[in-house]
Amino acid sequence: MKKVNNRRKFIKSTGLLSLGILSPNINFSQEEPLLQENNIHVFGKREGFTDQISLLVSMMDWMRFVVLRSVKGMSQKDLDFLLDDTSNTVGGMLMHLAATERYYQIHTFDGRSWGDFDAKDKDLWDVGSRLGETARKEIKGNSLAYYTDKLEAVREKTKEELSKREDSWLMESTNFFADQPTNNYCKWFHVVEHESNHNGQIKLLKSRMS
């Protein structure tokens, strides 16, 4: 009993219970419900993909669904909202997600070193990939459809390429993160995790919009 009480004191002291991180009674009343679409909440076999690639695609679909839910109904003003002079806009972050996925396509599907991108890809994606001051100046004035269309087009290409590959491809590795052996599974899981990270930032910005 003492150990349990000590654990609860630790949780309270770190604020985890107050944040709802470890509580089984998390209140999502402020959120739009995670309505089921095409069995999206059941990870598993997807038509046209091998078993392990199906799991990866399941994760990618679920995370993209959550991101699109976060930006649903945003106006141009919302997409261009700047919290401060050093922050990124929601529109900028959506462009960043599309740019990141495109660059991972080139790296993993074409087998090219990171940064070995064609000029046409750099012209289209570099500003979004880098974000920062240039992105704040250039990525604005667009509708939500402008960004979601780009996300959809890039994702369609990703799935087309993944459908051509076997599970063994996921395990192929090159030195990548921290110049350590990194397989394609990890690289593409990072694309999913990357969207999760920016989804949190998008939700923060939403909470600050007037």
Side-chain angles (χ1 to χ4, degrees), residues 7-8 10-28 203:
R7 179 175 180 272
R8 292 193 65 84
F10 167 75
I11 291 171
K12 287 181 179 180
S13 69
T14 58
L16 295 179
L17 279 177
S18 63
L19 288 172
I21 293 174
L22 296 181
S23 171
N25 299 313
I26 297 173
N27 183 2
F28 287 110
K203 291 170 73 174

Side-chain angles (χ1 to χ4, degrees), residues 110-172:
D110 298 343
R112 294 165 67 170
S113 299
W114 191 263
D116 180 20
F117 309 134
D118 293 336
K120 63 180 181 179
D121 280 304
K122 290 183 177 181
D123 289 344
L124 183 58
W125 300 115
D126 257 11
V127 173
S129 177
R130 297 176 187 277
L131 290 175
E133 184 61 29
T134 303
R136 284 188 285 275
K137 292 178 179 178
E138 297 185 14
I139 304 178
K140 59 184 179 180
N142 304 306
S143 67
L144 178 60
Y146 173 85
Y147 301 108
T148 57
D149 285 352
K150 291 188 181 301
L151 285 165
E152 183 178 355
V154 172
R155 180 55 54 87
E156 185 177 336
K157 174 67 174 177
T158 296
K159 289 185 174 180
E160 177 187 340
E161 292 295 330
L162 287 174
S163 71
K164 301 174 184 177
R165 287 162 169 78
E166 301 295 327
D167 287 344
S168 58
W169 175 84
L170 289 173
M171 303 306 162
E172 294 177 6

Side-chain angles (χ1 to χ4, degrees), residues 32-189:
E32 180 180 336
L34 279 168
L35 299 175
Q36 189 170 8
E37 287 188 359
N38 300 322
N39 219 28
I40 196 169
H41 304 318
V42 179
F43 286 13
K45 185 66 176 175
R46 296 293 186 263
E47 185 177 355
F49 301 100
T50 58
D51 290 347
Q52 287 297 319
I53 291 177
S54 286
L55 290 174
L56 175 61
V57 169
S58 298
M59 290 186 278
M60 295 173 73
D61 284 347
W62 195 90
M63 195 64 243
R64 178 59 54 83
F65 168 67
V66 172
V67 170
L68 294 179
R69 183 185 61 149
S70 294
V71 301
K72 183 179 179 180
M74 280 195 175
S75 65
Q76 179 185 317
K77 179 182 177 182
D78 295 333
L79 294 163
D80 292 346
F81 171 76
L82 273 173
L83 182 60
D84 55 49
D85 293 339
T86 61
S87 66
N88 298 303
T89 64
V90 173
M93 284 190 280
L94 293 177
M95 197 70 172
H96 178 69
L97 295 181
T100 299
E101 185 164 344
R102 174 58 188 148
Y103 282 167
Y104 271 83
Q105 288 174 356
I106 296 169
H107 173 62
T108 62
F109 299 145
D110 298 343
R112 294 165 67 170
S113 299
W114 191 263
D116 180 20
F117 309 134
D118 293 336
K120 63 180 181 179
D121 280 304
K122 290 183 177 181
D123 289 344
L124 183 58
W125 300 115
D126 257 11
V127 173
S129 177
R130 297 176 187 277
L131 290 175
E133 184 61 29
T134 303
R136 284 188 285 275
K137 292 178 179 178
E138 297 185 14
I139 304 178
K140 59 184 179 180
N142 304 306
S143 67
L144 178 60
Y146 173 85
Y147 301 108
T148 57
D149 285 352
K150 291 188 181 301
L151 285 165
E152 183 178 355
V154 172
R155 180 55 54 87
E156 185 177 336
K157 174 67 174 177
T158 296
K159 289 185 174 180
E160 177 187 340
E161 292 295 330
L162 287 174
S163 71
K164 301 174 184 177
R165 287 162 169 78
E166 301 295 327
D167 287 344
S168 58
W169 175 84
L170 289 173
M171 303 306 162
E172 294 177 6
S173 68
T174 61
N175 281 18
F176 194 62
F177 293 129
D179 200 32
Q180 297 295 308
T182 310
N183 61 23
N184 289 323
Y185 214 151
C186 180
K187 292 172 186 178
W188 278 97
F189 177 76

